[in-house]
Amino acid sequence: MLKLFLINFVLMSTIYAKKVNIGYDTSLLEKFTKTDLKVATDVMLTKLLTSINYEGEFSYYDDIKKMHKDLENAKLDYVSLNPLNLIKYFDLTKLEPSFSEGAKDINNLYLVVLVNAKSNIKSYKDFKNKKIFINLRDPVSKMYIDYHYLKANGNLDIYYKNSSSSQNSILKLFFNKADITIVRYKNYTTAIELNPQIAKKVLLFEKTTFRNTQIGMFRKNLDPQIKKMFSKQAYLLDKTVQGRQILDIYKTDKLEETNMKDLRNIKIFYENFIQLKQKINK
């Protein structure tokens, strides 16, 4: 998620000679503090840019409600945040799609639920009393497991352990220290490429119906020319040598228009989860 922010910074740096206000959701970050973000950005710009011809202001938000308030007051022109935070706190009618992380193989961006082959898990009922390693800061991943567990077992008595990375989660299953995780499909296939034995011990249980990527959105009444220039530059990024170098640094194939279908699917899933909780708690 840091990578979309940094790529945004490069794009803004090469396009604008006017002030653009960017809001970035840092509430999910574990390894990078706000200071780390600024340092990383400075290093990248030194390497990739010969000059900066714009004035930009970046704001970092751990408090999504504060980000929402600033957007409502037109203090932000562009926001980048987790899709569930976007759905829960923002009015989508006041926003327009910008761009998000893309991939040559779209399957790589979907979440997959993985299980330890020795855990003998056949259904979500079997998740009961199992060790589940996930990034607890990622609300979409947690919501997905919560929903299916609640639907199958009638409660949310889940044994979660926080994981520092997708790779760590997969290895926990591989070495029989955990039963279940949820990661991006790309993380799973990459792990298998590095160690083919993982495919025998860590099994794909289910794939989600939506992608889980950091979402970029414009303020609706932002100058159309800015939106047009920004988006055009983003979609051409993988077509130039320098652009591909930027994308390669952050292991991203390309940038593409924010997929509103995915966002709607996550919204429907979230609403179904809320309804299920209300029904069970009656």
Side-chain angles (χ1 to χ4, degrees), residues 209-250:
T209 58
F210 47 76
R211 292 174 282 180
N212 185 27
T213 63
Q214 189 87 346
I215 299 293
M217 301 290 282
F218 289 123
R219 175 168 53 84
K220 195 164 190 176
N221 57 350
L222 180 64
D223 182 348
Q225 187 63 19
I226 292 179
K227 289 186 283 190
K228 181 179 179 180
M229 292 174 64
F230 192 11
S231 297
K232 180 180 178 181
Q233 186 75 6
Y235 304 147
L236 291 175
L237 201 59
D238 62 314
K239 303 296 192 298
T240 67
V241 173
Q242 186 190 44
R244 286 193 297 273
Q245 289 173 343
I246 295 170
L247 292 170
D248 286 345
I249 290 172
Y250 301 106

Side-chain angles (χ1 to χ4, degrees), residues 71-128:
L71 185 73
E72 288 286 301
N73 293 329
K75 293 181 179 180
L76 295 173
D77 302 310
Y78 173 94
V79 292
S80 177
L81 67 166
N82 178 273
L84 192 55
N85 283 340
L86 178 62
I87 289 164
K88 290 170 69 174
Y89 298 105
F90 290 76
D91 181 353
L92 297 181
T93 65
K94 296 182 179 180
L95 296 169
E96 291 184 351
S98 175
F99 58 82
S100 303
E101 180 183 357
K104 292 177 182 177
D105 182 352
I106 195 173
N107 288 306
N108 288 335
L109 301 179
Y110 285 84
L111 293 171
V112 290
V113 179
L114 307 177
V115 298
N116 184 325
K118 289 186 176 182
S119 298
N120 195 31
I121 294 170
K122 306 299 182 184
S123 72
Y124 279 104
K125 270 194 169 296
D126 299 327
F127 279 37
K128 189 174 182 179

Side-chain angles (χ1 to χ4, degrees), residues 232-271:
K232 180 180 178 181
Q233 186 75 6
Y235 304 147
L236 291 175
L237 201 59
D238 62 314
K239 303 296 192 298
T240 67
V241 173
Q242 186 190 44
R244 286 193 297 273
Q245 289 173 343
I246 295 170
L247 292 170
D248 286 345
I249 290 172
Y250 301 106
K251 297 181 173 62
T252 298
D253 294 335
K254 61 179 181 177
L255 298 178
E256 60 184 30
E257 184 175 359
T258 295
N259 189 305
M260 298 305 290
K261 180 180 178 181
D262 276 331
L263 199 57
R264 285 192 294 271
N265 286 342
I266 294 174
K267 186 174 187 292
I268 291 169
F269 194 94
Y270 171 68
E271 291 169 348

Side-chain angles (χ1 to χ4, degrees), residues 128-159:
K128 189 174 182 179
N129 298 323
K130 295 295 192 295
K131 293 180 183 178
I132 305 176
F133 268 74
I134 67 170
N135 175 9
L136 291 174
R137 284 177 172 263
D138 178 5
V140 175
S141 294
K142 185 175 182 299
M143 175 185 66
Y144 193 84
I145 298 295
D146 281 351
Y147 172 79
H148 286 291
Y149 188 99
L150 181 62
K151 187 176 181 180
N153 297 291
N155 61 65
L156 285 172
D157 299 331
I158 304 175
Y159 181 22

